[in-house]
Amino acid sequence: MTNYKSILRLHSQGMSNRNIAASLSCSKNTVGSVLKRLKELSLSAEVLAEQSNPEIAKLMFPERSHDPERLMPDCESMHKELAKSGVTLTLLWAEYCDQARSANKSYYMYTQFCKIYRDYARIHKATMHIHRKPGELMEVDWAGKTAIVQDSLTGEGLKAYIFVATLASSGYSYVEAFLSMEMENWITAHIHAFTYFGGVPRVIACDNLKTGVKKSSRYEPLLTRNYQELAEHYQTAIVPARVRKPKDKANVEGTVGIISTWIIAALRNRQFFSLSDLNEAVFEKLEEFNAKPFQKKKGSRQSVFFDEEKIHLTQLPATTYEIATWKVATVQLNYHISVYKMHYSVPYEYLKQKVDVRITSRVIEVFFHNHRIASHMRLKGKPDQYSTLKEHMPEKHQKYMDWDGKRFIRWAEKIGPSVAIVVKAILDAHEIEQQGYRSCMALIKLTDKYSVSRLDNACAKVLTYTSRPTYKNVQTVLKTKADKLMEQQQPRRKSKNSEFGFTRGASYYNKGGDKS
């Protein structure tokens, strides 16, 4: 409202209209119209000085104080509309003007229109949507002060670091204690905050901490891989604050100070022997903090959140984000990679290429130049297991997937009984039968280089010293000709005189004797 009393007072002191306008931050035309009206009504400045500004306005400009022809803005509806993305007071004023024209009524100018809304919001609402829309921004940070958790065995005091997340519009906050500020706890804290709020804000503002920001930059900061994945999973954007610019996340900075007093300091005389006990007490204080009434506004952070902000948060995804670890692997000649002694197939086109592997407790994902090329359920149990997808194999290898162990055994039986026993042993040695097909094929193809009888003899030789024969065992026997040596060492059939060697009889020495 125009400060009529100050205009009259400064005018009586001989100040010019221009200086009065500059001093009171109003228009020179406003000052001129007030003084002109004063002269037209022949009113005394001394009489008006005893009245309030609203009373002076009614006396000098009665048509302005009550104008039934002027359409009054619907501030309640405006407040709800401003919470929507892209809606501004300028847009609402243009729509208001159209409504007034349709109703054949006059309308307020933009400045007065904004003032009417601000006066309404200041009295009736706890938040002003002009600066931060509901559901738009969540600010996160670690509190400077720490809590203490006592080690139940040693009695040593362990520091507990306090994570704080605050929604900028309502001030509704989430607080949780962790024993470290490492990446895993940082990501977990965000997930718990989203769950507590029951939704996800469109933007997250954070500090340039190493667990979240790999490379700080005023224009293009580089986030850590897990932090970026978190943002993509929850369909939100992370905007790190500028270095040494706490105003970029002023809400959480203020909340951190209040939290330090309301929660951390309030628990200073209590002892906690586990992190869960500490967090239980923190959550109790947090509920009190969010439900605490505002000092200068109606309602509380909690009431404003549920009345105005929660509905504007993005829905939580169907699955919770799972923290992953990354490693680099090389695709081997058998188009598999090795991850913690387990083997996973990738398309054979990527042989000898280095790939990025994303590892979670359930899934193994393989990326090449940021494009996912393979995904497997994570293998568990004894090492050296294989997870092979048929589409990853070359066409010549894919036909093996249509075969079965019985086919290899039938082939082996046609070669010889010892070969059949070795093939069965190779198939039984693998948990998944298909993993032994290549060894069986290689074993049978040895007949292309060696005779059928030699292969069967070689398999027999191997079976004499191991119950778990392999293709390599048989190949080594053939290369060293150990199968022929075994054949030479087999005992010959003995004659009647074999015990004494070859013996000449009496007839041999009686060549010239009597033949009668």
Side-chain angles (χ1 to χ4, degrees):
M1 176 176 285
T2 303
N3 194 342
Y4 298 102
K5 296 182 68 174
S6 295
I7 292 175
L8 298 176
R9 177 176 55 80
L10 295 176
H11 175 69
S12 65
Q13 295 176 0
M15 188 176 289
S16 66
N17 291 4
R18 183 183 298 275
N19 290 337
I20 292 174
S23 176
L24 300 179
S25 299
C26 62
S27 165
K28 188 174 70 171
N29 293 336
T30 300
V31 176
S33 64
V34 170
L35 297 178
K36 180 181 178 181
R37 189 66 171 169
L38 180 68
K39 187 176 181 180
E40 290 175 353
L41 297 176
S42 300
L43 295 173
S44 170
E46 290 77 8
V47 174
L48 295 177
E50 298 177 357
Q51 300 182 22
S52 63
N53 279 318
E55 292 173 341
I56 296 174
K58 289 181 181 180
L59 183 62
M60 296 182 69
F61 303 98
E63 69 281 0
R64 294 183 183 178
S65 59
H66 180 68
D67 186 2
E69 297 300 322
R70 194 183 299 270
L71 181 65
M72 192 66 184
D74 185 356
C75 295
E76 180 69 26
S77 176
M78 287 170 57
H79 194 76
K80 294 179 180 179
E81 290 297 316
L82 279 170
K84 300 178 181 178
S85 178
V87 180
T88 63
L89 280 172
T90 304
L91 174 63
L92 293 179
W93 179 73
E95 294 175 349
Y96 158 75
C97 293
D98 292 339
Q99 292 174 2
R101 295 188 190 100
S102 300
N104 294 321
K105 291 188 176 183
S106 59
Y107 51 84
Y108 290 100
M109 292 294 101
Y110 178 71
T111 304
Q112 188 66 16
F113 176 83
C114 294
K115 182 179 183 300
I116 291 172
Y117 168 71
R118 291 192 181 95
D119 291 342
Y120 165 84
R122 189 176 298 109
I123 296 172
H124 296 87
K125 297 293 178 181
T127 58
M128 292 282 288
H129 299 315
I130 297 174
H131 302 294
R132 292 297 180 193
K133 293 182 180 295
E136 180 184 22
L137 180 67
M138 181 179 81
E139 300 172 1
V140 294
D141 201 0
W142 292 105
K145 293 184 179 180
T146 58
I148 299 297
V149 175
Q150 301 291 335
D151 190 314
S152 57
L153 296 177
T154 64
E156 179 185 1
L158 304 175
K159 286 185 178 180
Y161 301 90
I162 310 299
F163 170 84
V164 181
T166 300
L167 295 173
S169 178
S170 63
Y172 196 62
S173 299
Y174 175 75
V175 182
E176 187 175 358
F178 294 89
L179 292 179
S180 73
M181 294 188 289
E182 295 177 352
M183 169 63 72
E184 185 175 354
N185 290 335
W186 177 248
I187 298 296
T188 301
H190 282 68
I191 296 171
H192 291 176
F194 296 149
T195 304
Y196 181 78
F197 295 141
V200 184
R202 292 185 286 276
V203 179
I204 299 174
C206 67
D207 265 334
N208 285 272
L209 68 174
K210 291 183 179 179
T211 51
V213 182
K214 185 183 296 184
K215 182 181 180 181
S216 62
S217 170
R218 182 172 183 176
Y219 303 105
E220 295 183 350
L222 182 63
L223 301 177
T224 57
R225 199 158 199 168
N226 277 312
Y227 206 22
Q228 183 62 44
E229 281 187 352
L230 175 79
E232 293 173 358
H233 184 84
Y234 285 96
Q235 297 294 302
T236 185
I238 297 175
V239 182
R242 293 171 295 172
V243 178
R244 297 179 182 176
K245 296 292 183 180
K247 288 185 178 180
D248 286 358
K249 49 182 187 61
N251 291 281
V252 74
E253 294 288 348
T255 303
V256 163
I258 301 173
I259 290 294
S260 298
T261 300
W262 190 262
I263 296 180
I264 302 176
L267 301 175
R268 67 189 185 280
N269 294 324
R270 294 178 58 179
Q271 280 191 327
F272 303 97
F273 295 96
S274 69
L275 188 64
S276 59
D277 290 343
L278 172 60
N279 276 322
E280 186 177 347
V282 167
F283 294 150
E284 290 178 1
K285 289 292 182 181
L286 175 63
E287 292 300 320
E288 295 177 9
F289 171 77
N290 284 327
K292 181 184 178 184
F294 290 121
Q295 293 183 352
K296 299 181 180 180
K297 306 173 186 178
K298 293 182 179 179
S300 63
R301 293 174 177 82
Q302 187 179 66
S303 64
V304 174
F305 169 74
F306 285 105
D307 292 344
E308 303 180 21
E309 185 155 28
K310 185 175 182 179
I311 192 174
H312 298 286
L313 295 174
T314 305
Q315 288 187 353
L316 291 169
T319 59
T320 303
Y321 173 74
E322 189 172 6
I323 300 173
T325 56
W326 289 82
K327 66 171 295 186
V328 176
T330 301
V331 181
Q332 303 300 319
L333 293 176
N334 63 351
Y335 43 86
H336 284 71
I337 59 170
S338 179
V339 180
Y340 299 130
K341 298 183 179 181
M342 298 294 187
H343 309 283
Y344 304 89
S345 66
V346 299
Y348 71 94
E349 295 88 351
Y350 297 96
L351 291 180
K352 297 185 179 180
Q353 297 289 346
K354 289 188 178 297
V355 293
D356 296 316
V357 185
R358 182 176 182 269
I359 307 165
T360 68
S361 61
R362 298 181 296 108
V363 179
I364 299 292
E365 295 177 288
V366 186
F367 295 83
F368 183 73
H369 292 171
N370 296 323
H371 294 284
R372 191 172 74 170
I373 60 175
S375 178
H376 297 265
M377 294 301 294
R378 186 170 180 179
L379 297 173
K380 298 182 180 179
K382 65 180 183 179
D384 292 324
Q385 296 184 50
Y386 282 79
S387 176
T388 305
L389 300 181
K390 182 178 179 180
E391 57 268 25
H392 292 166
M393 306 172 69
E395 291 184 7
K396 292 182 179 180
H397 292 191
Q398 287 185 17
K399 64 182 181 181
Y400 298 153
M401 300 296 288
D402 299 327
W403 296 353
D404 57 13
K406 294 180 180 179
R407 187 171 184 178
F408 283 105
I409 294 172
R410 286 197 300 268
W411 281 6
E413 288 174 344
K414 294 178 182 179
I415 299 173
S418 298
V419 179
I421 295 173
V422 171
V423 167
K424 291 178 182 178
I426 291 175
L427 294 174
D428 293 340
H430 293 84
E431 184 174 346
I432 300 176
E433 187 180 79
Q434 286 82 351
Q435 295 172 3
Y437 288 178
R438 294 183 66 186
S439 298
C440 293
M441 176 58 72
L443 179 69
I444 294 172
K445 287 182 71 67
L446 286 175
T447 56
D448 296 343
K449 187 175 181 180
Y450 305 100
S451 66
V452 172
S453 59
R454 284 198 62 189
L455 178 58
D456 192 54
N457 290 336
C459 290
K461 174 71 173 178
V462 171
L463 290 172
T464 60
Y465 61 81
T466 179
S467 60
R468 301 188 66 181
T470 64
Y471 162 75
K472 284 290 185 182
N473 297 148
V474 178
Q475 186 185 45
T476 301
V477 170
L478 290 170
K479 284 183 177 181
T480 59
K481 300 182 179 180
D483 58 307
K484 290 186 175 182
L485 182 61
M486 182 183 70
E487 187 177 346
Q488 293 173 0
Q489 291 177 346
Q490 286 180 354
R492 295 182 179 180
R493 185 175 297 175
K494 298 180 182 180
S495 63
K496 292 187 290 185
N497 300 319
S498 61
E499 185 179 355
F500 306 102
F502 180 74
T503 306
R504 295 179 175 88
S507 59
Y508 176 83
Y509 297 99
N510 193 24
K511 290 181 180 180
D514 188 10
K515 296 182 182 179
S516 58

